Amino acid sequence: MIDLDLDMRQYDCPFIDTTDEVEVSFSAMQWQLDTNRKQLETRLLVEADSRAALDNGLETLCEHRNMADCATLKKQGRVATIRTLIEQTDAMGVVKDHGGYITGPFKIEDGTEMWHVGFDDEVTADRALSELDDGNDVVVEGRTELSITELFDVIENAGPAHRFLDSCRKLTETERTTLVTAAEAGYFETPRAVSLEDLAAEFDVSKTAVSMNLRRAERKLVDSTVASMPSIQGIE
């Protein structure tokens, strides 16, 4: 199996066109392609910086020419969940015609979309990429060849992986930003490349505040990792 991470700009996708006009993002929670009707049904999480931008984004999306059906399931503040039914795009048709399949959720923002697509062999993947590039702007961000053993490993450990991803999503924006900045700056290296004082100056807060944000983030991730270990296949 060849697994591809594609940063793609489609020219007939309602979600991409909407993020071009309004500052909103879409993250897929569920998707199902009806190959006979050539339509894609999805349930998505929609996020915006404000309630006004969210409402504007939903209205723009629902009015798109390639949108067959659009319904808001829940709306709270600047976040909403929706169910949509869109006409098959050129890229979707290419993937289907080459026997491809979706291997992970997609996210759309700032006029581009991150796809995770699988193909059974390298030759087919290359042919599909060539055809995708004819009608879309495509950048291959990642390409992985998975063996049968690796595929079984992914399937068997889907539960623990999901729990870890869920713990990452539970990080607050401040916790996530602090943790990423600290890691990239070398705070966790030995010896440390930066100190708490350096991080405090970066965020313009006290050393105590930085330390608390790091500890909260670490605790959420470590707790999830430790809880998942007993159910991870291959760990004795």
Side-chain angles (χ1 to χ4, degrees):
M1 170 185 169
I2 305 298
D3 193 35
L4 302 175
D5 300 326
L6 306 177
D7 188 356
M8 180 155 48
R9 180 176 180 83
Q10 302 182 73
Y11 294 99
D12 55 353
C13 174
F15 306 116
I16 289 179
D17 287 347
T18 298
T19 62
D20 259 342
E21 297 184 30
V22 187
E23 290 189 6
V24 295
S25 66
F26 300 95
S27 300
M29 300 183 293
Q30 173 271 331
W31 57 92
Q32 180 175 343
L33 178 62
D34 187 330
T35 55
N36 292 323
R37 299 176 63 184
K38 295 186 177 181
Q39 290 181 325
L40 176 71
E41 179 182 352
T42 56
R43 283 171 176 77
L44 303 107
L45 178 69
V46 191
E47 298 179 90
D49 290 336
S50 67
R51 180 60 175 262
L54 177 66
D55 291 339
N56 188 14
L58 293 177
E59 182 179 355
T60 301
L61 178 69
C62 291
E63 292 177 351
H64 194 279
R65 63 189 180 280
N66 283 352
M67 182 63 66
D69 188 32
C70 182
T72 300
L73 303 177
K74 187 176 182 180
K75 189 189 298 183
Q76 183 175 353
R78 57 185 184 86
V79 179
T81 54
I82 62 174
R83 184 190 68 81
T84 64
L85 188 65
I86 70 170
E87 302 300 334
Q88 177 177 287
T89 64
D90 172 78
M92 290 160 51
V94 170
V95 171
K96 182 194 69 175
D97 291 345
H98 288 79
Y101 34 87
I102 303 299
T103 59
F106 53 85
K107 183 177 179 66
I108 311 104
E109 60 184 344
D110 298 328
T112 63
E113 180 176 8
M114 183 59 71
W115 274 27
H116 305 282
V117 186
F119 295 93
D120 289 336
D121 58 78
E122 193 168 350
V123 173
T124 304
D126 288 340
R127 288 174 179 167
L129 281 174
S130 178
E131 192 169 330
L132 279 172
D133 203 37
D134 288 339
N136 310 271
D137 288 337
V138 183
V139 176
V140 180
E141 297 286 353
R143 183 182 183 120
T144 306
E145 183 173 1
L146 297 176
S147 65
I148 294 178
T149 301
E150 290 170 325
L151 285 173
F152 272 113
D153 191 35
V154 170
I155 294 170
E156 289 180 337
N157 293 303
H162 176 75
R163 286 192 290 274
F164 180 75
L165 290 174
D166 189 52
S167 69
C168 292
R169 296 187 182 102
K170 288 180 179 178
L171 294 175
T172 67
E173 184 176 349
T174 299
E175 291 166 353
R176 182 171 59 251
T177 302
T178 304
L179 185 65
V180 170
T181 301
E184 291 179 345
Y187 177 77
F188 299 105
E189 295 176 4
T190 303
R192 286 177 173 168
V194 295
S195 64
L196 276 177
E197 187 173 354
D198 295 326
L199 294 174
E202 173 73 20
F203 292 103
D204 195 23
V205 297
S206 68
K207 289 194 296 183
T208 301
V210 170
S211 179
M212 289 179 61
N213 288 328
L214 283 174
R215 287 180 180 275
R216 290 193 187 103
E218 291 169 351
R219 183 169 62 250
K220 289 178 182 179
L221 298 182
V222 170
D223 286 350
S224 172
T225 301
V226 171
S228 297
M229 280 184 176
S231 57
I232 295 179
Q233 300 296 321
I235 292 183
E236 300 297 335

